[in-house]
Amino acid sequence: MKTLNQKNKQIEKQPLEYYLNLQYPVTLYPDPEEGYVAQIKDLPGCLTQGETLDETIANINEARELWIETAYESGDDIPLPSTEESYSGKLLVRMPKSLHRRLAEQAEQENVSLNQYIVSLLSRVS
């Protein structure tokens, strides 16, 4: 059976074990009421929660397996895991000249490059 991959090329559908052995990034969030929430963003709707980190990790692994098995049996596409390599780290931003000037002046006061200064500002809010 042929399917389309993420780059719209036809490829042979892999066996279920192939997809089950893929390593997907997991995002963990503390639950404000107690415990943790885990999500696999590459698999839409694949999330769970638990009272402890160990329980949450076990639950997300089970949720991942069930998500993949269900998609596989239904003939749905199974996204491949995203990687850090999918992002170049480059970003072109247009801004008003006055903002550019203020940021450049603040970077100079901190004795860092404008790029370093902007990255430090962005990392504080992310």
Side-chain angles (χ1 to χ4, degrees):
M1 168 197 250
K2 292 198 177 197
T3 185
L4 295 178
N5 72 2
Q6 292 170 327
K7 295 184 180 178
N8 294 327
K9 296 178 185 174
Q10 278 201 337
I11 59 169
E12 292 292 324
K13 185 173 182 180
Q14 299 292 326
L16 177 59
E17 289 301 315
Y18 168 81
Y19 298 105
L20 290 173
N21 288 320
L22 293 173
Q23 298 296 312
Y24 288 89
V26 174
T27 304
L28 288 166
Y29 306 96
D31 187 335
E33 298 189 15
E34 192 174 306
Y36 300 90
V37 175
Q39 177 182 18
I40 299 176
K41 294 179 181 179
D42 293 330
L43 305 177
C46 186
L47 64 125
T48 189
Q49 62 186 47
E51 292 184 23
T52 65
L53 281 174
D54 289 339
E55 179 184 3
T56 307
I57 295 297
N59 289 348
I60 197 65
N61 285 329
E62 182 180 359
R64 177 189 55 80
E65 288 179 12
L66 291 171
W67 194 103
I68 291 170
E69 288 170 355
T70 301
Y72 190 88
E73 291 168 5
S74 299
D76 295 337
D77 287 337
I78 300 172
L80 296 177
S82 61
T83 64
E84 293 291 326
E85 297 168 14
S86 64
Y87 301 99
S88 70
K90 297 178 184 178
L91 175 66
L92 175 63
V93 179
R94 301 275 183 205
M95 66 181 78
K97 290 178 183 180
S98 60
L99 176 59
H100 190 176
R101 183 184 67 247
R102 282 196 323 261
L103 290 171
E105 289 170 354
Q106 291 170 347
E108 188 176 329
Q109 287 176 356
E110 295 290 327
N111 201 26
V112 296
S113 71
L114 178 58
N115 283 345
Q116 287 177 314
Y117 185 71
I118 291 172
V119 168
S120 72
L121 291 175
L122 290 172
S123 67
R124 290 182 206 161
V125 296
S126 65

